Amino acid sequence: EIVLTQSPGTLSLSPGERATLSCRASQSVSSSYLAWYQQKPGQAPRLLIYGASSRATGIPDRFSGSGSGTDFTLTISRLEPEDVAVYYCQQYGNSLIFTFGPGTKVDIK
Amino acid sequence: QVHLVESGGGVVQPGRSLRLSCAASGFTFRSYAMHWVRQAPGKGLEWVAVISYDGSSTYYADSVKGRFTISRDNSKNTLFLQMNSLRPEDTAVFYCARAAGLDIAAASDYWGQGTLVTVSS
């Protein structure tokens, strides 16, 4: 089973700064099968990125995804107050077991 | 507009059973694979199970295999999760989520608001 590790655990940045979130897999993940989700307090998760780098419908272009193999990155180019949330990566497809990472919490300073 | 509404949660004693439902609307339900994902209080997301668009294929997390059963009724646009032999560690908010297409191996593009299951004596 693929294990996903996310870092950092918490990220505190000022509005307008760039946020870089990392997701590392214990074994290679097909880029087609890596997603990122945003979960705001008290809300259901929302799909941000699928296929490692494709933005989901309605997602602002300040969110971007990249990476391949075992290392993937979610970048928020200019942090806004409404981006305060926990961000999860997920791999899907390998043996049809869908694994989530533990999440990165993004705070505003 | 896509709408997923879970129901059936509540307080249940360890060892007992519970059946969750997810009513879908705003899309052609029979054309999409569907997931259950849970989140224990204050914890991260844990994938639970997935079912193919036609119900012919199902897959489960090891933590629930043999105890939980995912199913669907495409005539009623409803997804189910039958949970047996419940344990305190099953306490969580349970979300249903739509896979982004016919393919099971797809990200989840729409989520319900969740239903809370509490397993406690």
Side-chain angles (χ1 to χ4, degrees):
Chain A
E1 179 182 325
I2 294 179
V3 176
L4 300 178
T5 303
Q6 292 187 241
S7 61
T10 302
L11 194 55
S12 263
L13 296 168
S14 299
E17 287 193 299
R18 183 184 191 89
T20 303
L21 287 66
S22 172
C23 175
R24 181 161 291 176
S26 58
Q27 37 185 298
S28 185
V29 174
S30 166
S31 296
S32 300
Y33 300 138
L34 195 287
W36 290 92
Y37 299 86
Q38 176 193 64
Q39 187 178 33
K40 296 182 179 181
Q43 295 186 17
R46 176 174 72 148
L47 177 64
L48 296 177
I49 301 288
Y50 63 94
S53 60
S54 298
R55 266 189 303 276
T57 303
I59 301 304
D61 61 7
R62 67 178 182 276
F63 291 92
S64 63
S66 63
S68 64
T70 60
D71 290 295
F72 298 88
T73 300
L74 175 71
T75 301
I76 310 173
S77 60
R78 298 171 307 279
L79 197 65
E80 298 195 4
E82 61 261 34
D83 299 333
V84 169
V86 179
Y87 293 82
Y88 296 94
C89 59
Q90 181 200 34
Q91 70 84 25
Y92 49 95
N94 282 63
S95 303
L96 292 170
I97 300 295
F98 299 72
T99 314
F100 287 97
T104 290
K105 184 177 181 182
V106 173
D107 282 333
I108 295 286
K109 276 184 186 175
Chain B
Q1 138 193 10
V2 175
H3 210 46
L4 298 169
V5 179
E6 302 92 339
S7 61
V11 181
V12 61
Q13 292 180 327
R16 304 298 291 266
S17 299
L18 205 60
R19 189 194 200 201
L20 304 184
S21 299
C22 170
S25 60
F27 66 103
T28 306
F29 180 71
R30 65 179 180 274
S31 295
Y32 291 84
M34 296 292 297
H35 294 265
W36 286 101
V37 175
R38 67 183 179 182
Q39 187 169 35
K43 303 297 184 183
L45 301 172
E46 180 188 15
W47 173 76
V48 172
V50 64
I51 187 168
S52 60
Y53 69 99
D54 61 356
S56 63
S57 298
T58 57
Y59 300 89
Y60 298 90
D62 286 345
S63 58
V64 307
K65 201 174 294 182
R67 299 188 300 124
F68 290 10
T69 301
I70 188 172
S71 62
R72 64 192 299 159
D73 185 340
N74 283 347
S75 68
K76 295 182 178 178
N77 293 344
T78 304
L79 176 72
F80 301 101
L81 185 67
Q82 177 67 43
M83 303 186 294
N84 299 332
S85 303
L86 282 162
R87 305 166 179 167
E89 55 264 35
D90 294 319
T91 294
V93 173
F94 282 75
Y95 296 100
C96 67
R98 188 185 84 166
L102 274 171
D103 192 355
I104 279 183
S108 296
D109 59 354
Y110 286 93
W111 296 64
Q113 284 305 303
T115 187
L116 175 62
V117 173
T118 302
V119 184
S120 173
S121 53

